[in-house]
Amino acid sequence: MEYPLLPKQMPETIQSVWRKTALLTTMTFILIGIAFTGFLVWLDALEGLWFWLIVGYFGLVAIGLAISLALVPYRYHYYRFEVTPEDLAFQKGFIFRSITYVPMNRIQHVETEQGPFLRKEGLMEIVIHTAATSHRIAGLKIDEAMTLREQIVNLVKVAKEDV
């Protein structure tokens, strides 16, 4: 049996944001590695075990970047959501897949966020807060995000009135 996919998918430009985030994270780890390597050179200790630990570190960082970039299309394909009058559904995962349903009457508040990478692509993120946790719908077009936020707020009001 094939695992069902929810109907709503992010815009394709979210893939660019995910790639930029992976590159920025990798650059941070590379800078940390360079600083530590410089420290070892300053101590005149970059030989033997330390040399191979540094080589291994940079190798793992490179492998991590390659894996992150290779998995972006899969992440895009399986990261979905759905809004119904009763609940919100969030789907994620390409190896270990999960769908999380959040009843409308459990939602406490809804936020919108936009970092520099999202802003550059004209995208926005919605954060749905419950008493236990928060759920994110990242990479929506700005007008779609604002419309969806209003829709969720109105559905929450209706759900709270019914209780």
Side-chain angles (χ1 to χ4, degrees):
M1 183 173 139
E2 190 66 27
Y3 199 82
L5 292 176
L6 296 176
K8 294 283 226 166
Q9 196 171 15
M10 311 300 131
E12 285 194 35
T13 51
I14 191 63
Q15 295 181 74
S16 172
V17 172
W18 290 336
R19 284 186 193 100
K20 289 175 186 175
T21 302
L23 289 171
L24 181 65
T25 302
T26 301
M27 290 305 298
T28 303
F29 281 110
I30 287 173
L31 289 174
I32 291 169
I34 289 171
F36 189 68
T37 303
F39 178 69
L40 290 176
V41 167
W42 182 70
L43 291 177
D44 202 25
L46 188 60
E47 55 189 42
L49 178 64
W50 284 111
F51 174 78
W52 291 110
L53 286 174
I54 292 295
V55 169
Y57 174 81
F58 283 112
L60 286 175
V61 169
I63 290 169
L65 175 63
I67 290 171
S68 292
L69 293 177
L71 293 180
V72 165
Y74 297 103
R75 182 178 175 191
Y76 171 73
H77 182 69
Y78 293 107
Y79 191 87
R80 297 169 178 255
F81 70 98
E82 181 179 31
V83 180
T84 67
E86 298 83 33
D87 55 32
L88 282 169
F90 303 93
Q91 183 174 26
K92 63 182 178 179
F94 40 89
I95 296 173
F96 300 103
R97 299 181 190 169
S98 69
I99 299 177
T100 303
Y101 292 91
V102 179
M104 286 294 176
N105 62 354
R106 298 291 184 204
I107 296 174
Q108 292 184 336
H109 67 280
V110 181
E111 295 178 349
T112 55
E113 294 180 356
Q114 188 182 48
F117 293 151
L118 289 173
R119 190 174 311 116
K120 175 122 174 58
E121 298 295 330
L123 302 175
M124 190 173 269
E125 178 177 42
I126 293 180
V127 184
I128 294 98
H129 294 275
T130 63
T133 189
S134 62
H135 303 276
R136 296 176 177 273
I137 303 174
L140 298 171
K141 293 180 180 170
I142 294 174
D143 56 339
E144 183 183 359
M146 299 308 284
T147 303
L148 183 60
R149 184 183 66 82
E150 287 302 317
Q151 178 186 2
I152 292 170
V153 167
N154 290 333
L155 289 170
V156 168
K157 287 178 185 175
V158 169
K160 301 268 184 186
E161 290 173 0
D162 290 344
V163 174

